[in-house]
């Protein structure tokens, strides 16, 4: 018989049996587990031990992977370079150019045989094809550059993705030791420790659990938390969240075999069907629309609204998407009934400020550009026709077609120059670059737009523990038997029975996942693993010279009678264990002021038991707890209570049979207090400075903590959040609620507006208070522009506040999976000073884009006006099509690279946030744009009309071949553009434009590269670029005009900005005004919309180039498409609803494909808590007919899980 690692290779249970088992819930599940011989027997069949776990040997793990699958869902393969090239070619303007170039090519080879061929210019006939070819080549270069940028970007995001996935670990028991392993390494047979805040990485059966409650809404859509326990519902599923309690589970299904994995697999099939269906619908609706426009009938075709992004579209009424809108993710009341779907809301995530302004700007430029381009073509054509047919009275010759095509090409080129396709690129590059650099500053950005939003932040609501403090807790003061000591007492100093009880109470009533480990390097501090407050208590036991592990070994978790785990309502944790000599003993620890109210006895001097009266309580609070809290200590009380079957002593309770453990009120009461300890969590040394920087940058920092108000005040003044003499509020949660709620207990915005502006510290606050505060600040209308709020959080219950905030920061080390999933940025070092870096990067993104805009718009204005006036005055654009494409390439692609990669400087933190209403193009920028445009236009027109006389060269105005005259115009234009790129590096009116130029190698290497390329084009690109080579003197003239822009720039800077009318700034006002009109980029197709408004074809056309801006860059859609984040926002939740809605519409539509309908119908049984049928039969029999495609995880939902999803 074959053996693996000393055990038989054949498992006692098959993959199919395990999959069937995980289908069941509740009683059915228990029945099935018992059928298989119980959990212990299943462990034996899988060759694993409930207490020791797997051996962890490589051979064994590998064999399990081969047999039961590995815990990854294969991601969708990235787009190939060719696919990206194909996508870049879809740009409408480029298509027009390609067609025109091909027509021009064709006509140049077509020699008309008519009688006027005699005077047909020989030279032009020879070189006629070159222009067409050159344009084609330019288009190819533009396309390849675009595709290459997309490709590197995609690669960067893949890197980011694997980084995020690498961060996600889980604790399993292997070889008798608890280890943190990457979620992808979990195999069937592993024993996992499950605790509060975990996102479960695989399906399993509970071996042991304490008070475990799980949020299964991601699988079932039910918002109520489900109680789990070995005796009544032992099945826990991947992708669900642990909201309370702890436990141990045996992993039974991983990867594509787990419940979440099965859904993903199905969705892969469903999505493809869905897409085919959508296409069909579109076609039908088109026909309907045509019919409608012909008949004028107002019948509305029934069609599902289809969105253009990567989400699966489903008839909206059948699917409610609670995750779509991060900003309106108001917490649903727990009683919410999901039986009927609410009316569909248009949940598009609010656009970031920058995105809204840029989109509007781009549309306006697109409109202006297209009008001028059309006008140019019309003027050129009319002039040509009038001149040829009216004055010269020629008859039509076929060769004239070529002329008309040339005019069209000039028009299209003007358009290409006018539409700023470099904008999306600049934004993408700037964001992608920032995100990459922010990784080094310990900011792991999960949503791209968070990076830019952070630059506008006006308020930060921060947690205390771990963010402002080091999260390394130690017990520094104790109060035991009426003795307050500022140093740790020895075991021998405390009465023995009290000391033994304390050691037991701490060792047993701290989660067994919390441990103090020896340090990695000798001389360092011991490592704290698990809950830091508990680690401080365990450290206290070790300091008394005792070992907590021996106590735990004597009382393993399996013997616990009941555990009341810590949560934000209880603010305490209690454990009930069997007592020696019969009965039970309850140990409790928790926040002092809450615990002492529940104590009826206390150990006095020399360990004598005393009654704990009301007056003693008050004295203890005054003399012990408040002074400790004022030193910034967190106070914890430890107490116990005995339940005995025989004669009870004064502080014991007599019981005849088991007490009702569910009656927590009476069980955890009349306790005997053992001690009070003060735990110190020192402020991080770098925090006060970081907070000063924030305040200087116009950002208000508020502290929201669950701690005692005195502790909070002490820490806040150490950090510099409150300063003596300032006018500020420090409130407790209760008082805060009293002030902001009306007589019916409803939160009122006007009451909140009286509180939040002065509020600096909110203590003893619940997660709901935090959410209320954040929502109140965001919804407030008292300041001119809406506040932009960032929030930090680490606990499971911080999720709603993190989602509601403009930017949610989760703690990478101390944060729970649930918090990370709700966040936008993960702080990998849990440090407040990293938030300041995020602000700096955010402001830098805004500035980079402004720099690029200032540069780009100058070029746009100049190039478009030159082409237009040139066409009118000289019947030909002074800048040829190919030349304009080259300028377009410099100014768009290369300049966006150069200007978008400037590093942030500390000066960015010296100004106030821009706010949401700040114009995108400030008056200073507009002054620079117009000032430079005036200079450049004057130079170019001077050269055009008198340049030939000035430089003593033959005029190029009527010459059919490339002339030095027009070459000088082109060269001067490029030189001025290049020097203006240096001017564009400063946008706040600074004088020294060279400052820090050598800190950005990308900038100067691109600049020098462009100059060299220009020399080559002028001297050697004569035929392709219609240029003539220039002499040294002519080159010096061009350079002279180029350097002139720098000098002129200094002159422009001297004009006081205040004198410039406000009307010249662009993009002020509320971003909301912009977002209403703009549903671009998605090209919404929705014939059912109220007034049938569709974006006009024209809009779609010019904005095609800009769609990249939308779908790829900022809306986070790109990032959601590319990064299936393991902490995904209930992706399975969306997935399941998609499957359901899809299935409902299936029966009617796919009678021809019964298998798919059947599978999906079966699968939907997942949505019912107690599923009646096994939805997994298909694993064995349907597979062949169903040919499920490669799992298309990325299209499943906006944030799909990859590796760790399941």
């Amino acid at each position: 018989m074959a053996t693996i690692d000393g055990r038989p290779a054949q498992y006692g249970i098959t993959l199919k049996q395990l999959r069937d088992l995980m289908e069941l819930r509740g009683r059915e599940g228990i029945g099935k587990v018992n059928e298989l011989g119980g959990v212990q027997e299943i462990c034996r069949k899988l060759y694993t031990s409930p207490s020791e776990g797997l051996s962890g040997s490589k051979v064994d793990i590998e064999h399990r992977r081969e047999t039961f699958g590995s815990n990854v869902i294969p991601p969708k393969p990235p787009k190939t370079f060719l696919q990206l090239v194909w996508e870049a070619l879809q740009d409408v303007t480029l298509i027009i150019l390609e067609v025109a170039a091909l027509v021009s090519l064709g006509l140049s080879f077509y020699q008309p045989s008519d009688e006027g061929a005699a005077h047909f210019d020989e030279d032009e006939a020879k070189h006629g094809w070159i222009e067409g070819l050159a344009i084609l080549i330019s288009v190819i270069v533009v396309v390849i550059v675009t595709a290459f940028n997309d490709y590197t970007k995609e690669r960067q995001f893949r890197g980011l993705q694997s980084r995020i996935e690498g961060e996600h670990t889980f604790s399993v028991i292997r070889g008798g030791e608890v280890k943190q392993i990457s979620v992808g390494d979990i195999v069937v047979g592993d024993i996992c420790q499950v605790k509060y805040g975990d996102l479960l990485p695989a399906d399993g059966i509970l071996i042991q659990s304490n008070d475990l409650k799980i949020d299964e809404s991601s699988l079932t859509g039910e918002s109520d938390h489900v109680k789990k326990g070995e005796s009544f519902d032992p099945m826990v599923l991947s992708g669900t969240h642990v909201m309370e309690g702890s436990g141990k589970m045996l992993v039974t299904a991983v990867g594509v075999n787990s419940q979440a994995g099965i859904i993903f697999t199905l969705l892969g099939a469903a999505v493809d069907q869905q897409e085919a269906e959508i296409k069909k619908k579109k076609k039908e609706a088109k026909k309907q629309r045509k019919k409608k426009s012909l008949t004028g009938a107002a019948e509305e075709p029934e069609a599902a609204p289809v969105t253009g992004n990567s989400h699966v579209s489903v008839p909206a009424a059948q699917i409610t998407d609670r995750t779509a809108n991060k900003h309106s993710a108001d917490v649903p009341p727990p009683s919410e009934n999901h039986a009927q779907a609410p009316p569909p809301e248009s949940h598009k995530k609010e656009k970031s400020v920058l995105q809204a302004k840029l989109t509007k700007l781009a549309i306006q430029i697109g409109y202006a550009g297209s009008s001028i381009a059309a006008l140019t073509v019309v003027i050129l054509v009319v002039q040509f026709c009038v001149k040829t047919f009216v004055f010269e009275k020629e008859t039509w010759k076929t060769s004239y077609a070529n002329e008309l095509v040339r005019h069209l090409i000039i028009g299209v080129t003007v358009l290409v120059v006018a539409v700023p396709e470099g904008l999306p690129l600049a934004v993408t590059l700037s964001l992608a670059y920032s995100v990459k650099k922010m990784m080094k500053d310990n900011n792991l950005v999960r949503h791209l737009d968070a990076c830019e939003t952070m630059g506008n932040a006006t308020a930060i609501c921060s947690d205390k523990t771990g963010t402002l403090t080091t999260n390394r807790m130690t017990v520094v003061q104790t109060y035991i038997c009426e003795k307050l000591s500022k140093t740790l007492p020895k075991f021998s100093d405390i009465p023995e029975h009290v000391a033994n009880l304390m050691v037991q109470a701490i060792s047993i009533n701290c989660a067994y996942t919390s441990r103090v480990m020896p340090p990695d390097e000798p001389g360092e501090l011991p490592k704290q693993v698990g809950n830091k407050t508990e680690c401080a208590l365990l450290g206290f036991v070790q300091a008394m010279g005792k070992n907590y592990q021996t106590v735990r070994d004597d009382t393993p978790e399996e013997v616990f009678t009941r555990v009341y785990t810590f949560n934000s309502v209880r603010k305490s944790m209690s454990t009930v264990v069997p007592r020696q000599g019969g009965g039970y003993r309850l140990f409790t620890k928790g926040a002092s002021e809450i615990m002492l109210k529940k104590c009826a006895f206390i150990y006095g001097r020399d360990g004598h038991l005393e009654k704990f009266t009301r007056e003693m309580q008050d004295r203890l609070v005054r003399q012990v707890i408040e002074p400790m809290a004022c030193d910034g200590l967190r106070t914890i009380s430890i107490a116990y209570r005995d339940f005995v079957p025989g004669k009870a002593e004064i502080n014991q309770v007599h019981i005849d049979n088991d007490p009702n453990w569910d009656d927590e009120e009476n069980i955890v009461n009349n306790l005997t207090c053992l001690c009070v300890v003060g735990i110190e969590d020192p402020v991080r040394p770098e925090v006060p400075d970081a907070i000063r920087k924030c305040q200087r940058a116009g950002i208000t920092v508020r502290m929201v903590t669950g701690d005692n108000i005195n502790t909070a005040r002490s820490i806040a003044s150490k950090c510099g959040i409150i300063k003596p003499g300032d006018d500020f509020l420090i409130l407790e949660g209760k008082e805060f609620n009293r002030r902001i709620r009306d007589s019916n207990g409803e939160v009122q915005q006007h009451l909140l507006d009286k509180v939040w502006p002065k509020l600096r510290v909110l203590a003893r606050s619940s997660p709901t208070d935090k959410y209320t505060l954040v929502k109140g600040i965001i919804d407030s209308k008292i300041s001119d522009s809406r506040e932009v709020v960032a929030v930090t959080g680490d606990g499971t219950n911080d999720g709603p506040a993190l989602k509601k905030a403009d930017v949610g920061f989760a703690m990478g080390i101390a944060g729970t999976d649930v918090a990370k999933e709700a966040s936008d940025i993960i702080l990998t070092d849990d440090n407040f000073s990293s938030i300041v870096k995020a602000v700096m990067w955010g402001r830098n993104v805004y500035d980079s884009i402004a720099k690029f805009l200032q540069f780009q718009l100058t070029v746009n204005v100049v190039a478009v006006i030159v082409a237009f006036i040139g066409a009118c005055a000289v019947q030909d654009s002074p800048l040829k099509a190919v030349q304009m494409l080259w300028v377009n390439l410099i100014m768009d692609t290369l300049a966006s690279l150069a200007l978008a990669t400037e590093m942030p400087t500390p000066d960015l933190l010296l100004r106030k946030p821009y706010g949401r209403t700040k114009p995108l193009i400030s008056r200073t920028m507009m002054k620079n744009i117009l000032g430079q445009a005036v200079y450049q236009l004057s130079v170019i027109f001077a050269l055009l009309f008198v340049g030939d006389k000035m430089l003593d060269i033959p005029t190029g105005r009527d010459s059919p071949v490339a002339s030095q005259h027009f070459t000088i115009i082109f060269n001067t234009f490029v030189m001025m553009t290049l020097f203006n790129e240096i001017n564009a590096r400063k946008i706040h009116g600074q004088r020294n434009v060279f400052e820090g130029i050598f800190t950005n190698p990308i900038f100067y290497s691109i600049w020098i590269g462009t100059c060299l390329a220009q020399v080559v084009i002028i001297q050697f690109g004569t035929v392709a670029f219609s240029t003539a080579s220039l002499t040294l003197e002519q080159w010096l003239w061009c350079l002279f005009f180029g350097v002139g822009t720098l000098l002129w720039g200094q002159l422009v800077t001297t004009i006081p900005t205040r004198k410039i009318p406000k009307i010249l700034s662009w993009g002020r006002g509320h971003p909301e005004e912009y977002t209403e009109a703009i549903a671009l980029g998605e090209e919404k197709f929705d014939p059912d919309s109220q007034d049938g408004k569709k974006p006009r074809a024209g809009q779609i056309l010019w904005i095609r180039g800009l769609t990249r801006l939308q779908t790829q860059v900022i809306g986070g859609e790109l990032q959601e498409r590319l990064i299936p984040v393991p902490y995904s926002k209930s992706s399975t939740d969306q997935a399941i609803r998609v499957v359901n809605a899809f299935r409902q519409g299936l029966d009617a539509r796919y009678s021809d494909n019964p298998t798919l309908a059947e599978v999906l119908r079966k699968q939907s049984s997942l949505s019912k808590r107690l599923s009646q049928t096994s939805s997994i039969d298909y694993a064995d029999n349907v597979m062949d007919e169903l040919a499920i495609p490669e799992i298309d995880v990325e299209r499943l939902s906006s944030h799909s899980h990859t590796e760790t999803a399941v």
Side-chain angles (χ1 to χ4, degrees), residues 419-432:
V419 173
E421 41 311 24
L423 253 188
L425 191 66
V427 179
T428 311
L429 285 167
S430 184
L431 285 171

Side-chain angles (χ1 to χ4, degrees), residues 784-920:
D784 302 339
S785 62
R786 157 163 118 57
E787 297 275 314
V788 176
V789 185
V791 170
T792 68
D794 52 6
T796 302
N797 36 30
D798 287 331
L802 286 169
K803 275 195 175 130
K804 178 68 190 171
D806 293 287
V807 182
F809 286 91
M811 301 297 134
I813 304 168
T816 57
D817 296 345
V818 181
K820 288 177 185 172
E821 187 189 305
S823 70
D824 299 295
I825 297 180
I826 297 172
L827 293 177
T828 50
D829 62 346
D830 288 16
N831 192 335
F832 185 84
S833 58
S834 302
I835 297 179
V836 182
K837 298 214 178 91
V839 172
M840 205 155 84
W841 275 108
R843 293 185 172 190
N844 191 52
V845 167
Y846 207 96
D847 279 8
S848 295
I849 289 161
K851 287 171 191 174
F852 175 69
L853 264 178
Q854 178 175 309
F855 171 69
Q856 163 117 43
L857 292 179
T858 315
V859 185
N860 276 16
V861 170
V862 176
V864 170
I865 293 179
V866 167
F868 178 64
I869 294 193
C872 304
V874 202
Q875 288 81 54
D876 188 6
S877 163
L879 299 173
K880 299 287 177 288
V882 186
Q883 295 172 356
M884 286 217 256
L885 284 172
W886 163 239
V887 171
N888 198 41
L889 189 75
I890 308 177
M891 69 176 197
D892 276 359
T893 317
L894 301 173
S896 61
L897 252 174
L899 289 169
T901 50
E902 295 269 302
M903 292 293 281
T905 55
D907 314 348
L908 288 168
L909 293 176
L910 297 177
R911 60 172 173 76
K912 297 272 179 278
Y914 278 145
R916 296 171 68 83
T917 52
K918 163 98 169 54
L920 182 61

Side-chain angles (χ1 to χ4, degrees), residues 263-308:
I263 295 168
F264 278 112
T265 313
L266 277 171
L267 267 171
V271 168
D272 284 357
Q273 287 278 18
Q274 188 73 8
E275 290 211 328
E277 183 61 11
I278 287 171
K279 276 189 187 140
K280 207 162 98 191
K281 273 273 161 82
K282 261 189 169 168
K283 273 187 191 150
E284 279 172 20
K286 231 183 198 160
K287 280 183 198 153
Q288 291 274 12
R289 270 211 310 282
K290 272 190 190 149
K291 240 192 247 163
K292 204 165 87 177
S293 57
L294 290 175
T295 59
E299 61 208 283
E300 290 288 308
E302 304 220 348
V306 174
T307 56

Side-chain angles (χ1 to χ4, degrees), residues 54-344:
L54 297 177
S55 66
S57 82
K58 277 209 175 103
V59 189
D60 177 39
I61 302 288
E62 207 36 62
H63 183 255
R64 286 173 191 274
R65 271 208 194 104
E66 283 163 20
T67 316
F68 298 109
S70 68
N71 199 22
V72 292
I73 287 188
K76 185 183 175 191
K79 285 185 175 153
T80 60
F81 187 68
L82 286 176
Q83 281 172 309
L84 290 168
V85 166
W86 176 243
E87 278 183 13
L89 276 170
Q90 310 292 311
D91 193 323
V92 178
T93 39
L94 288 181
I95 292 175
I96 298 176
L97 262 182
E98 287 156 28
V99 171
L102 287 170
V103 171
S104 158
L105 261 179
L107 288 170
S108 66
F109 288 124
Y110 164 68
Q111 293 287 346
S113 54
D114 52 2
E115 70 295 346
H119 68 275
F120 190 76
D121 193 315
E122 280 297 298
D123 192 47
E124 187 154 328
K126 255 207 327 261
H127 297 309
W129 56 276
I130 288 172
E131 186 170 35
L133 187 66
I135 290 175
L136 278 182
I137 291 171
S138 319
V139 168
I140 290 166
V141 171
V142 171
V143 164
I144 287 176
V145 170
T146 314
F148 178 71
N149 275 318
D150 287 351
Y151 184 67
T152 46
K153 197 169 58 197
E154 184 145 346
R155 286 225 339 263
Q156 263 185 18
F157 284 125
R158 294 268 162 182
L160 176 63
Q161 173 188 335
S162 50
R163 164 82 190 264
I164 292 180
E165 280 158 7
E167 301 266 315
H168 195 191
T169 56
F170 210 80
S171 40
V172 299
I173 301 175
R174 283 193 181 169
E177 285 187 10
V178 178
K179 292 188 174 142
Q180 290 287 332
I181 63 168
S182 168
V183 165
D185 298 337
I186 292 176
V187 291
V188 169
D190 260 322
I191 306 293
C192 290
Q193 286 193 335
V194 180
K195 61 181 187 309
Y196 154 89
D198 281 344
L199 172 68
L200 296 181
D203 292 356
I205 307 173
L206 289 174
I207 299 174
Q208 172 267 322
S209 69
N210 311 316
D211 203 12
L212 194 63
K213 287 191 185 144
I214 290 194
D215 171 10
E216 289 192 347
S217 61
S218 59
L219 284 181
T220 60
E222 312 260 339
S223 59
D224 299 341
H225 298 168
V226 184
K227 270 195 159 148
K228 295 281 178 182
E230 309 86 294
S231 52
F232 51 93
D233 186 0
M235 307 299 182
V236 286
L237 306 173
S238 57
T240 58
H241 292 126
V242 182
M243 300 313 274
E244 224 176 277
S246 60
K248 263 199 315 202
M249 73 170 197
L250 161 72
V251 176
T252 53
V254 293
V256 285
N257 298 312
S258 67
Q259 293 298 302
I262 290 162
I263 295 168
F264 278 112
T265 313
L266 277 171
L267 267 171
V271 168
D272 284 357
Q273 287 278 18
Q274 188 73 8
E275 290 211 328
E277 183 61 11
I278 287 171
K279 276 189 187 140
K280 207 162 98 191
K281 273 273 161 82
K282 261 189 169 168
K283 273 187 191 150
E284 279 172 20
K286 231 183 198 160
K287 280 183 198 153
Q288 291 274 12
R289 270 211 310 282
K290 272 190 190 149
K291 240 192 247 163
K292 204 165 87 177
S293 57
L294 290 175
T295 59
E299 61 208 283
E300 290 288 308
E302 304 220 348
V306 174
T307 56
N309 57 14
S310 53
H311 300 242
V312 180
S313 154
V314 177
Q318 301 169 10
I319 192 165
T320 66
D321 183 352
R322 282 174 295 137
T323 59
N325 187 342
K326 177 172 181 298
H327 289 267
S328 67
D330 294 9
V331 192
S335 61
E336 185 168 305
N337 181 5
H338 287 288
Q340 96 190 64

Side-chain angles (χ1 to χ4, degrees), residues 564 598 641 660-670:
Y564 303 98
K598 296 182 178 174
R641 185 184 191 190
N660 171 14
W661 298 120
D662 289 333
D663 181 10
E664 192 184 335
E665 273 297 295
N666 289 324
I667 297 283
V668 186
N669 215 331
N670 291 334

